[in-house]
Amino acid sequence: MSRIEALRALHRRRSPGDPLVLPGPWDAASARVFVEAGFPALATPSAGVAASLGHEDGQTPADEMFAAVARIVRAVDVPVSADIEGGYGIAPKELVERLLETGAVGCNLEDSEGGVLKEPRRHAEWLAEVRHAAADRLFVNARIDTFVRARQDADPKRTAEQAIERAALYVAAGADCVYPIGAPVNVLPLLRSGIQGPVNVHGTVTGGPSPAELGELGATRVTFGPGLHRTATQALRGIAADLTT
């Protein structure tokens, strides 16, 4: 079975309480740690990779991001999905080819730019171009930013409805999975009931619902963004502090 076939198979027939858990490596060493722990696939976080390269989140040059993803893919023998943010302004065909050159078999693509949500139909058209260029070679995870871009006083239910509307457009455009990042736990059942296909939910490393609990609420898969990198960095700070005493 090829890596893309393996990644697709991992998303199928997930039972409640048993979501696909995808840790986020930021370099080759962390990727090997996760695979040695038994995880069947990985999903890189753009913020974690950015930090490992000395950049702020969202400021990593495309060439550096693709090179970092390639190093992670070479280090492991499991499928890797790459967070390539908003696509770096690269045309869909070139974007797909550059990603495939890294060896990644999946991608995370977000629907906001500069802190502003993109027009959903236009973004869906762009996703359709990505899907056409990728054919069946990539598993496309379409991130939905309605929650992270919502006003603080926004009604979570209304924001969830907006996410469901976007999800329908993105799935119709060919997205394999949608990712309503930042969705409060209490709206996950609503999202699950309104979205066709796999749903990616953001998990927490310490505290908060477990991956199994998120699965019970509707998550098909759970990722952690830069959470694992930040937790590892905090642990390293503690070690460093101990060395100075």
Side-chain angles (χ1 to χ4, degrees):
M1 182 183 294
S2 68
R3 292 190 183 189
I4 179 59
E5 290 170 337
L7 184 60
R8 290 188 186 284
L10 286 168
H11 287 81
R12 297 191 191 110
R13 295 183 292 277
R14 307 301 308 194
S15 58
D18 182 33
L20 173 61
V21 179
L22 297 175
W26 53 93
D27 59 13
S30 59
R32 288 185 178 129
V33 168
F34 295 136
V35 172
E36 288 167 3
F39 290 99
L42 307 173
T44 69
S46 62
V49 173
S52 76
L53 297 173
H55 298 293
E56 295 297 321
D57 185 22
Q59 300 301 310
T60 308
D63 288 349
E64 291 191 43
M65 183 62 76
F66 288 124
V69 171
R71 287 192 292 272
I72 289 169
V73 172
R74 286 197 301 268
V76 297
D77 60 359
V78 301
V80 175
S81 180
D83 183 347
I84 50 174
E85 304 176 278
Y88 309 109
I90 302 171
K93 186 176 186 301
E94 181 185 352
L95 181 67
V96 167
E97 293 306 322
R98 292 190 67 179
L99 183 57
L100 288 171
E101 286 173 1
T102 70
V105 293
C107 61
N108 192 75
L109 295 165
E110 54 199 55
D111 68 349
S112 63
E113 184 175 14
V116 178
L117 283 166
K118 296 179 182 178
E119 199 284 318
R121 287 175 176 77
R122 187 174 304 162
H123 184 64
E125 291 171 359
W126 181 79
L127 285 174
E129 292 183 53
V130 172
R131 174 82 282 158
H132 178 73
D136 60 356
R137 297 178 294 173
L138 287 175
F139 188 96
V140 177
N141 186 37
R143 200 178 94 174
I144 299 172
D145 288 359
T146 55
F147 290 98
V148 295
R149 304 303 176 200
R151 297 185 330 194
Q152 288 188 343
D153 61 349
D155 176 11
K157 183 179 178 181
R158 176 55 188 148
T159 304
E161 291 169 349
Q162 293 170 342
I164 290 170
E165 292 167 2
R166 285 176 175 261
L169 291 170
Y170 302 165
V171 170
D176 298 288
C177 181
V178 295
Y179 180 17
I181 187 172
V185 171
N186 62 354
V187 302
L188 292 182
L190 174 60
L191 291 170
R192 175 67 281 170
S193 67
I195 293 175
Q196 297 296 314
V199 176
N200 190 146
V201 172
H202 189 280
T204 56
V205 179
T206 57
S210 67
E213 290 169 330
L214 292 174
E216 292 284 357
L217 292 169
T220 308
R221 79 182 207 177
V222 177
T223 54
F224 304 91
L228 289 159
H229 175 265
R230 290 172 180 169
T231 300
T233 300
Q234 189 60 34
L236 188 58
R237 287 195 183 100
I239 294 170
D242 289 343
L243 294 174
T244 63
T245 59

